[in-house]
Structure formats: structure tokens, C-alpha cells
Amino acid sequence: MLDEKNIYLDVEANTKEELISFICDHAYEQRITRDRDGLYQDFLNREEEFPTGLQDGFAIPHARSERVDQIAIMYLRVKNGIEWGTLDDQVVRYIFALLVPAHHEGNVHLQMISKLATCLLEDDFKDMVKLSEDKTELKKYIIKNMEED
Amino acid sequence: MKIVGISACPAGLAHTPMAAKALEKAGAKLGYDLKMEQQGSMGQVNAITDEEAKTADFVIIASDQKIVGMERFDGKPVIRVDITTCIKAPEAVIKKCIQAVANKK
């Protein structure tokens, strides 16, 4: 669900559209979707309905759609802050992209995404994912926190 | 003071649990008995029972979505709030709701 290859620490993207495009390219490469452009539109539609920017530089763009073939999480860090539409009007630098099939069966993974979202209310968690340069450590840390009750 | 509430968002993935958790934490900090039900991608999580609904002083609906089971709260003051405001400023939301309910009485 979250693999080291889904962690990108120096993404060059200057706009929300560029970043979502990057996410969709990689989702296509990794066979998370077979419809790259459709997925792109799904992400943008969700952002139009309501921007997914949070606070302290975080955002959680998501697509829950027919275009997603397997549930996945990506973590991305961009070099320059992106204007996003956040709760505290700060630019976004830390992004968790959530990709969920429209008719996902089973609650284990949804539960993990739910836990990840609530982790973003915790300063310890945010500091760690902001600062770590080690993908293996990041993957372990994020998954551990998603699994804890 | 006993408060119950429900959070719900369009995809039901992330804002729903975040708002619920934020309000519960803020409620505990302010010393209130506050329970949030989530209506998200996993259906109803941490559902409010009829008994809990009956004994609550008021109801917070953190959503602009259609909510399941509103009949549980018949006769109770119901306050709708923006879900992202609950994530951003949960304590302020609770305080404002309490004030709004007090003013109505």
C-alpha cells in the first residue's frame, strides 16, 4: 500500500496541477491506474469540490474512483511550496496522495488511511515526515503509525 | 455537558476521521463528554446509540453532506458546522456551539 518507490522526496512541481500530473504519471507506471488522464481529472474534480489542503504545509489530494485499480498511498515532498488552498493559508510542501478504488472491498486499508489522516493532527508525526531523508525509515514509520490503534 | 456529533465528507476518507478526532480531543481538553460518529468510507464508525442521543445536550454535525439517522436527534438542538473548521479550530467550534445553544434557551 505504501512502498519506498511511492515516496518522492525532491519533487519539482510548482503548481497543484503539475504535482497531480506527477502523481498520475507514477500511478500509471506502477499500474495503480490504467487511465492516467481520467485519474488526473478525478483528482482535480475533488480539488474543485473542495481543496484538500490542511495546515502546516500538508495536503491530502485524493481520488476514490473507478480509475483506481489498487489502493495506494504516495508521499511526496516538493522543493518549492505550492499554492493549494489550505486551512492556514500556508503553501504546501508535504503531500500524502490517497488512491482508492471506487468499490474497495474490505476495511483494513480504509482503516489505515483513516488512521493516517488523524496522524496529521499530531505534531510528532508531522515533524518526522517533514524532516526524514531516509525512505526506508519513512516507510516504516508511516506504516507503523497507520497500524497502531 | 454531554455532546454528540457526526462528521462526514465527500469521499469519506480523510476529513471525516480528522474532524472527529480533532473534536474529541478538544472536547476532552475542555472537560466535556464528547462523542463523534464518523459516516465515511467504512460506513458508520463509533455510532451514537439512541441512549447517547437522548442524553446529549446538543448535536454537532460537521458536514455539508446528507447524514444518516438524524431521527435519533429529534427534539435536540442540532448545529451544522464546516468540517474543515472543525479540523482547524476544534476548541473554538465547541465553545461557539455551547454558546449558541445557551443563547437559544
Short mmCIF file of all heavy atoms in Angstrom, two decimals, chain A residues 3-40:
data_model
loop_
_atom_site.label_atom_id
_atom_site.label_comp_id
_atom_site.label_asym_id
_atom_site.label_seq_id
_atom_site.Cartn_x
_atom_site.Cartn_y
_atom_site.Cartn_z
N ASP A 3 4.86 1.97 -0.53
CA ASP A 3 6.13 1.33 -0.83
C ASP A 3 7.20 2.42 -0.90
O ASP A 3 6.87 3.58 -1.08
CB ASP A 3 6.00 0.63 -2.20
CG ASP A 3 6.92 -0.57 -2.27
OD1 ASP A 3 7.62 -0.83 -1.28
OD2 ASP A 3 6.94 -1.21 -3.33
N GLU A 4 8.47 2.01 -0.77
CA GLU A 4 9.52 3.03 -0.89
C GLU A 4 9.48 3.72 -2.24
O GLU A 4 9.80 4.89 -2.36
CB GLU A 4 10.90 2.39 -0.68
CG GLU A 4 11.24 2.28 0.79
CD GLU A 4 12.39 1.34 1.04
OE1 GLU A 4 13.45 1.53 0.42
OE2 GLU A 4 12.23 0.40 1.84
N LYS A 5 9.06 2.98 -3.25
CA LYS A 5 9.00 3.60 -4.58
C LYS A 5 7.83 4.58 -4.70
O LYS A 5 7.74 5.32 -5.68
CB LYS A 5 8.97 2.54 -5.68
CG LYS A 5 7.74 1.66 -5.73
CD LYS A 5 7.85 0.74 -6.95
CE LYS A 5 6.54 0.00 -7.23
NZ LYS A 5 6.24 -1.07 -6.28
N ASN A 6 6.97 4.61 -3.70
CA ASN A 6 5.89 5.61 -3.67
C ASN A 6 6.23 6.82 -2.80
O ASN A 6 5.37 7.62 -2.48
CB ASN A 6 4.60 4.99 -3.14
CG ASN A 6 4.00 4.01 -4.11
OD1 ASN A 6 4.31 4.03 -5.29
ND2 ASN A 6 3.17 3.12 -3.61
N ILE A 7 7.51 6.90 -2.40
CA ILE A 7 7.95 8.05 -1.62
C ILE A 7 8.90 8.88 -2.49
O ILE A 7 9.88 8.36 -3.00
CB ILE A 7 8.65 7.59 -0.32
CG1 ILE A 7 7.66 6.79 0.55
CG2 ILE A 7 9.20 8.79 0.46
CD1 ILE A 7 8.27 6.21 1.81
N TYR A 8 8.56 10.16 -2.66
CA TYR A 8 9.34 11.04 -3.53
C TYR A 8 9.73 12.27 -2.73
O TYR A 8 8.87 13.04 -2.33
CB TYR A 8 8.51 11.45 -4.75
CG TYR A 8 7.91 10.28 -5.50
CD1 TYR A 8 6.64 9.81 -5.17
CD2 TYR A 8 8.60 9.65 -6.53
CE1 TYR A 8 6.08 8.73 -5.85
CE2 TYR A 8 8.05 8.58 -7.22
CZ TYR A 8 6.78 8.12 -6.87
OH TYR A 8 6.23 7.06 -7.55
N LEU A 9 11.02 12.45 -2.51
CA LEU A 9 11.43 13.49 -1.56
C LEU A 9 11.87 14.82 -2.18
O LEU A 9 12.01 15.79 -1.46
CB LEU A 9 12.52 12.94 -0.64
CG LEU A 9 12.06 11.78 0.26
CD1 LEU A 9 13.18 11.36 1.20
CD2 LEU A 9 10.81 12.12 1.03
N ASP A 10 12.11 14.87 -3.47
CA ASP A 10 12.53 16.14 -4.07
C ASP A 10 11.79 16.42 -5.36
O ASP A 10 12.39 16.59 -6.41
CB ASP A 10 14.04 16.12 -4.36
CG ASP A 10 14.84 16.13 -3.07
OD1 ASP A 10 14.72 17.13 -2.34
OD2 ASP A 10 15.55 15.15 -2.80
N VAL A 11 10.48 16.45 -5.27
CA VAL A 11 9.69 16.61 -6.48
C VAL A 11 9.76 18.06 -6.97
O VAL A 11 9.64 18.99 -6.18
CB VAL A 11 8.21 16.22 -6.22
CG1 VAL A 11 7.38 16.42 -7.48
CG2 VAL A 11 8.12 14.78 -5.73
N GLU A 12 10.00 18.20 -8.28
CA GLU A 12 9.99 19.53 -8.87
C GLU A 12 8.61 19.79 -9.44
O GLU A 12 8.29 19.34 -10.53
CB GLU A 12 11.02 19.61 -10.00
CG GLU A 12 12.41 19.22 -9.56
CD GLU A 12 13.42 20.32 -9.83
OE1 GLU A 12 12.98 21.46 -10.08
OE2 GLU A 12 14.61 20.03 -9.80
N ALA A 13 7.80 20.48 -8.68
CA ALA A 13 6.47 20.85 -9.17
C ALA A 13 6.15 22.20 -8.55
O ALA A 13 6.39 22.42 -7.37
CB ALA A 13 5.43 19.81 -8.75
N ASN A 14 5.64 23.10 -9.37
CA ASN A 14 5.40 24.45 -8.88
C ASN A 14 3.92 24.79 -8.72
O ASN A 14 3.57 25.81 -8.15
CB ASN A 14 6.06 25.48 -9.80
CG ASN A 14 7.58 25.32 -9.75
OD1 ASN A 14 8.18 25.36 -8.69
ND2 ASN A 14 8.18 25.11 -10.91
N THR A 15 3.08 23.91 -9.28
CA THR A 15 1.64 24.14 -9.14
C THR A 15 0.98 22.83 -8.73
O THR A 15 1.55 21.75 -8.86
CB THR A 15 0.99 24.58 -10.47
OG1 THR A 15 1.14 23.51 -11.41
CG2 THR A 15 1.63 25.83 -11.03
N LYS A 16 -0.25 22.98 -8.25
CA LYS A 16 -1.05 21.82 -7.89
C LYS A 16 -1.22 20.89 -9.08
O LYS A 16 -1.09 19.67 -8.98
CB LYS A 16 -2.42 22.31 -7.40
CG LYS A 16 -3.25 21.27 -6.72
CD LYS A 16 -4.69 21.75 -6.54
CE LYS A 16 -4.89 22.51 -5.26
NZ LYS A 16 -6.33 22.63 -4.89
N GLU A 17 -1.47 21.48 -10.26
CA GLU A 17 -1.68 20.68 -11.47
C GLU A 17 -0.43 19.88 -11.82
O GLU A 17 -0.51 18.72 -12.20
CB GLU A 17 -2.09 21.58 -12.65
CG GLU A 17 -3.50 22.13 -12.55
CD GLU A 17 -3.63 23.28 -11.53
OE1 GLU A 17 -2.59 23.85 -11.12
OE2 GLU A 17 -4.76 23.59 -11.13
N GLU A 18 0.74 20.53 -11.71
CA GLU A 18 1.99 19.82 -12.02
C GLU A 18 2.20 18.65 -11.07
O GLU A 18 2.64 17.57 -11.46
CB GLU A 18 3.19 20.77 -11.90
CG GLU A 18 3.39 21.66 -13.11
CD GLU A 18 4.56 22.64 -12.90
OE1 GLU A 18 5.53 22.30 -12.19
OE2 GLU A 18 4.46 23.75 -13.45
N LEU A 19 1.89 18.89 -9.81
CA LEU A 19 2.10 17.83 -8.83
C LEU A 19 1.13 16.67 -9.06
O LEU A 19 1.53 15.50 -9.03
CB LEU A 19 1.92 18.36 -7.40
CG LEU A 19 2.17 17.24 -6.39
CD1 LEU A 19 3.66 17.03 -6.19
CD2 LEU A 19 1.49 17.49 -5.08
N ILE A 20 -0.12 16.98 -9.33
CA ILE A 20 -1.10 15.91 -9.57
C ILE A 20 -0.74 15.15 -10.84
O ILE A 20 -0.88 13.92 -10.91
CB ILE A 20 -2.54 16.50 -9.61
CG1 ILE A 20 -2.92 16.95 -8.19
CG2 ILE A 20 -3.55 15.47 -10.12
CD1 ILE A 20 -4.25 17.63 -8.06
N SER A 21 -0.22 15.85 -11.81
CA SER A 21 0.25 15.22 -13.03
C SER A 21 1.38 14.23 -12.72
O SER A 21 1.40 13.10 -13.23
CB SER A 21 0.74 16.31 -13.98
OG SER A 21 0.82 15.83 -15.28
N PHE A 22 2.29 14.64 -11.89
CA PHE A 22 3.40 13.78 -11.45
C PHE A 22 2.85 12.52 -10.76
O PHE A 22 3.27 11.40 -11.03
CB PHE A 22 4.30 14.58 -10.49
CG PHE A 22 5.47 13.81 -9.93
CD1 PHE A 22 6.72 13.87 -10.52
CD2 PHE A 22 5.32 13.03 -8.78
CE1 PHE A 22 7.80 13.17 -9.99
CE2 PHE A 22 6.40 12.32 -8.25
CZ PHE A 22 7.64 12.40 -8.86
N ILE A 23 1.89 12.73 -9.88
CA ILE A 23 1.28 11.60 -9.15
C ILE A 23 0.65 10.62 -10.14
O ILE A 23 0.85 9.40 -10.04
CB ILE A 23 0.20 12.12 -8.17
CG1 ILE A 23 0.84 12.92 -7.03
CG2 ILE A 23 -0.64 10.95 -7.61
CD1 ILE A 23 -0.15 13.69 -6.16
N CYS A 24 -0.05 11.15 -11.13
CA CYS A 24 -0.76 10.29 -12.09
C CYS A 24 0.21 9.55 -13.01
O CYS A 24 -0.01 8.38 -13.33
CB CYS A 24 -1.76 11.10 -12.90
SG CYS A 24 -3.09 11.76 -11.88
N ASP A 25 1.30 10.21 -13.41
CA ASP A 25 2.33 9.53 -14.21
C ASP A 25 2.85 8.31 -13.47
O ASP A 25 2.98 7.23 -14.03
CB ASP A 25 3.50 10.47 -14.50
CG ASP A 25 3.14 11.54 -15.52
OD1 ASP A 25 2.15 11.35 -16.25
OD2 ASP A 25 3.86 12.57 -15.57
N HIS A 26 3.16 8.51 -12.20
CA HIS A 26 3.73 7.41 -11.43
C HIS A 26 2.69 6.35 -11.09
O HIS A 26 3.01 5.16 -11.02
CB HIS A 26 4.43 7.95 -10.19
CG HIS A 26 5.71 8.65 -10.54
ND1 HIS A 26 6.90 7.99 -10.65
CD2 HIS A 26 5.95 9.94 -10.90
CE1 HIS A 26 7.84 8.86 -11.04
NE2 HIS A 26 7.29 10.04 -11.19
N ALA A 27 1.46 6.76 -10.90
CA ALA A 27 0.39 5.78 -10.66
C ALA A 27 0.21 4.89 -11.89
O ALA A 27 -0.03 3.69 -11.77
CB ALA A 27 -0.92 6.50 -10.33
N TYR A 28 0.38 5.50 -13.07
CA TYR A 28 0.26 4.74 -14.31
C TYR A 28 1.45 3.77 -14.44
O TYR A 28 1.25 2.58 -14.70
CB TYR A 28 0.20 5.68 -15.51
CG TYR A 28 0.02 4.97 -16.82
CD1 TYR A 28 -1.22 4.45 -17.18
CD2 TYR A 28 1.10 4.79 -17.70
CE1 TYR A 28 -1.41 3.77 -18.38
CE2 TYR A 28 0.93 4.12 -18.90
CZ TYR A 28 -0.32 3.61 -19.24
OH TYR A 28 -0.48 2.93 -20.42
N GLU A 29 2.64 4.26 -14.21
CA GLU A 29 3.84 3.41 -14.28
C GLU A 29 3.74 2.22 -13.34
O GLU A 29 4.18 1.13 -13.65
CB GLU A 29 5.08 4.22 -13.88
CG GLU A 29 5.80 4.86 -15.03
CD GLU A 29 6.83 5.86 -14.51
OE1 GLU A 29 7.40 5.63 -13.42
OE2 GLU A 29 7.06 6.88 -15.21
N GLN A 30 3.17 2.45 -12.19
CA GLN A 30 3.11 1.39 -11.18
C GLN A 30 1.82 0.58 -11.24
O GLN A 30 1.51 -0.16 -10.32
CB GLN A 30 3.28 2.01 -9.79
CG GLN A 30 4.65 2.60 -9.60
CD GLN A 30 4.81 3.21 -8.25
OE1 GLN A 30 4.16 2.78 -7.30
NE2 GLN A 30 5.66 4.20 -8.12
N ARG A 31 1.08 0.76 -12.29
CA ARG A 31 -0.14 0.00 -12.53
C ARG A 31 -1.19 0.19 -11.43
O ARG A 31 -1.99 -0.70 -11.16
CB ARG A 31 0.18 -1.50 -12.69
CG ARG A 31 1.04 -1.78 -13.90
CD ARG A 31 1.63 -3.19 -13.84
NE ARG A 31 2.62 -3.39 -14.89
CZ ARG A 31 2.33 -3.91 -16.09
NH1 ARG A 31 1.12 -4.29 -16.37
NH2 ARG A 31 3.28 -4.04 -16.99
N ILE A 32 -1.16 1.34 -10.81
CA ILE A 32 -2.23 1.66 -9.86
C ILE A 32 -3.46 2.09 -10.66
O ILE A 32 -4.58 1.91 -10.24
CB ILE A 32 -1.76 2.77 -8.90
CG1 ILE A 32 -0.59 2.25 -8.03
CG2 ILE A 32 -2.90 3.27 -8.01
CD1 ILE A 32 0.17 3.34 -7.30
N THR A 33 -3.20 2.64 -11.85
CA THR A 33 -4.30 3.00 -12.76
C THR A 33 -3.93 2.62 -14.18
O THR A 33 -2.76 2.53 -14.53
CB THR A 33 -4.60 4.52 -12.71
OG1 THR A 33 -5.74 4.79 -13.52
CG2 THR A 33 -3.43 5.35 -13.22
N ARG A 34 -4.98 2.39 -15.03
CA ARG A 34 -4.74 2.18 -16.45
C ARG A 34 -5.18 3.40 -17.24
O ARG A 34 -5.06 3.44 -18.46
CB ARG A 34 -5.51 0.94 -16.94
CG ARG A 34 -4.85 -0.38 -16.53
CD ARG A 34 -5.79 -1.54 -16.75
NE ARG A 34 -6.88 -1.49 -15.78
CZ ARG A 34 -7.85 -2.39 -15.70
NH1 ARG A 34 -7.91 -3.40 -16.55
NH2 ARG A 34 -8.79 -2.27 -14.79
N ASP A 35 -5.76 4.37 -16.53
CA ASP A 35 -6.32 5.55 -17.19
C ASP A 35 -5.72 6.79 -16.54
O ASP A 35 -6.31 7.41 -15.67
CB ASP A 35 -7.85 5.51 -17.05
CG ASP A 35 -8.51 6.72 -17.70
OD1 ASP A 35 -7.80 7.60 -18.23
OD2 ASP A 35 -9.75 6.78 -17.66
N ARG A 36 -4.53 7.12 -16.99
CA ARG A 36 -3.79 8.23 -16.38
C ARG A 36 -4.56 9.55 -16.43
O ARG A 36 -4.65 10.28 -15.43
CB ARG A 36 -2.45 8.37 -17.10
CG ARG A 36 -1.54 9.41 -16.50
CD ARG A 36 -1.05 10.38 -17.57
NE ARG A 36 -0.36 11.50 -16.94
CZ ARG A 36 -0.91 12.70 -16.77
NH1 ARG A 36 -2.15 12.95 -17.16
NH2 ARG A 36 -0.23 13.66 -16.19
N ASP A 37 -5.13 9.86 -17.59
CA ASP A 37 -5.80 11.15 -17.76
C ASP A 37 -7.11 11.21 -16.98
O ASP A 37 -7.47 12.25 -16.44
CB ASP A 37 -6.04 11.44 -19.24
CG ASP A 37 -4.72 11.61 -20.00
OD1 ASP A 37 -3.68 11.84 -19.33
OD2 ASP A 37 -4.72 11.49 -21.23
N GLY A 38 -7.80 10.08 -16.95
CA GLY A 38 -9.04 10.02 -16.17
C GLY A 38 -8.77 10.23 -14.69
O GLY A 38 -9.51 10.93 -14.00
N LEU A 39 -7.69 9.63 -14.23
CA LEU A 39 -7.31 9.78 -12.82
C LEU A 39 -6.97 11.23 -12.50
O LEU A 39 -7.38 11.77 -11.48
CB LEU A 39 -6.11 8.87 -12.51
CG LEU A 39 -5.64 8.88 -11.06
CD1 LEU A 39 -6.68 8.26 -10.14
CD2 LEU A 39 -4.31 8.14 -10.91
N TYR A 40 -6.24 11.85 -13.43
CA TYR A 40 -5.88 13.26 -13.27
C TYR A 40 -7.14 14.11 -13.06
O TYR A 40 -7.21 14.94 -12.16
CB TYR A 40 -5.11 13.72 -14.52
CG TYR A 40 -4.70 15.18 -14.51
CD1 TYR A 40 -3.61 15.60 -13.78
CD2 TYR A 40 -5.42 16.11 -15.25
CE1 TYR A 40 -3.24 16.95 -13.77
CE2 TYR A 40 -5.06 17.45 -15.25
CZ TYR A 40 -3.97 17.86 -14.51
OH TYR A 40 -3.62 19.19 -14.49
#
